[in-house]
Amino acid sequence: FRIDDNTVLKAVNIEFELGAKLLPTGAVTVALLIETTAEFTSASGLNDFLNVRNMFIDGTNVPSAIGLQLGKRVSPITAYIHFYNTTVAFFGQGVGIDIMHIVGCFFLESYSYKNGINVRIGNDVIDITTPTVIRFDNCRIREAKYSSGTTGVGVYVLNGYSIYFTNCVLESNAHEAVIVRPPAPPNLVLDIVIADCWVENNYPTGGPGNYAIIYDGSGSEMSGIKSL
């Protein structure tokens, strides 16, 4: 399933009936891809909103794929995209939610679980100003799975600005709940906030050097970090 900018888009709503699933099979590498070759535009300027509601993306048949990928190409998506009650699960050797070149993305009351990485932010650095303004509110990010080639991390942030997790559950991931680790320039992470979240039972194997949350700026610039 793909949404791109081949046509002019403005205030688009995609709503699924409760219980409906997107269940990819075969050689699928990305279940839902929202990308752009240029800015989403309309006659009056930038796209207003893309709203997605009640979607369940199920990776049972393609566990090595990516469930939801945003902003893969060079030019960032400049529209605000809202996901309500969206679930991405069972990509156990892949990535649940992959946020790349996008400005303005909001997840509300959504769920990412039992993926190799539940949420990955800023994996592909073409424009260091993106991703920007990423928010997860009242979301559950749980039970990331560790296997060969995956990290078992709840949230992995490599690049981005203004990233917020509020009132979320970050629980029972095989390894860390959150890693913020820009690997090398030009990657950088500025202004990330984790506030009023429940963080429990991550990295249950324990041991020295194993943590629920890691902020690591040894590879590149990182600032404006807050856990409240």
Side-chain angles (χ1 to χ4, degrees):
F1 191 85
R2 173 176 167 176
I3 302 170
D4 63 21
D5 64 335
N6 289 333
T7 57
V8 172
L9 299 176
K10 185 175 176 65
V12 176
N13 289 281
I14 301 173
E15 185 161 357
F16 291 77
E17 292 185 5
L18 288 173
K21 284 186 180 181
L22 178 61
L23 186 65
T25 60
V28 168
T29 58
V30 181
L32 173 59
L33 173 61
I34 301 175
E35 66 175 345
T36 180
T37 53
E39 293 179 346
F40 275 122
T41 58
S42 66
S44 61
L46 297 180
N47 197 40
D48 285 345
F49 294 102
L50 172 62
N51 295 320
V52 179
R53 298 175 183 271
N54 304 329
M55 173 176 278
F56 190 132
I57 305 174
D58 187 335
T60 299
N61 297 323
V62 287
S64 298
I66 295 170
L68 169 62
Q69 189 172 68
L70 304 172
K72 183 179 179 182
R73 294 186 181 176
V74 175
S75 297
I77 297 172
T78 53
Y80 283 94
I81 300 181
H82 291 180
F83 292 89
Y84 303 92
N85 191 34
T86 296
T87 297
V88 185
F90 307 126
F91 295 87
Q93 291 140 34
V95 178
I97 299 171
D98 196 20
I99 300 172
M100 296 165 67
H101 307 294
I102 183 168
V103 178
C105 180
F106 301 87
F107 287 84
L108 178 63
E109 296 180 357
S110 294
Y111 195 3
S112 184
Y113 71 101
K114 294 188 176 180
N115 305 295
I117 301 173
N118 280 324
V119 178
R120 183 170 65 183
I121 299 174
N123 181 56
D124 181 24
V125 179
I126 297 173
D127 180 348
I128 62 170
T129 64
T130 59
T132 303
V133 190
I134 309 300
R135 293 180 178 269
F136 287 79
D137 188 33
N138 285 328
C139 293
R140 292 172 291 167
I141 300 170
R142 303 181 72 250
E143 299 178 78
K145 298 297 182 182
Y146 175 77
S147 62
S148 177
T150 70
T151 64
V153 172
V155 178
Y156 207 127
V157 181
L158 298 99
N159 187 76
Y161 294 77
S162 298
I163 301 166
Y164 299 90
F165 293 86
T166 55
N167 301 305
C168 292
V169 174
L170 303 162
E171 182 180 40
S172 299
N173 296 288
H175 285 178
E176 294 85 358
V178 180
I179 295 179
V180 181
R181 181 178 285 157
N187 293 69
L188 71 162
V189 175
L190 303 177
D191 189 17
I192 178 168
V193 176
I194 301 173
D196 300 318
C197 293
W198 183 268
V199 182
E200 183 182 27
N201 195 38
N202 297 283
Y203 225 137
T205 56
N210 297 337
Y211 302 95
I213 299 176
I214 291 178
Y215 300 117
D216 180 3
S218 62
S220 189
E221 182 179 353
M222 187 170 67
S223 65
I225 310 300
K226 302 181 182 70
S227 294
L228 308 173

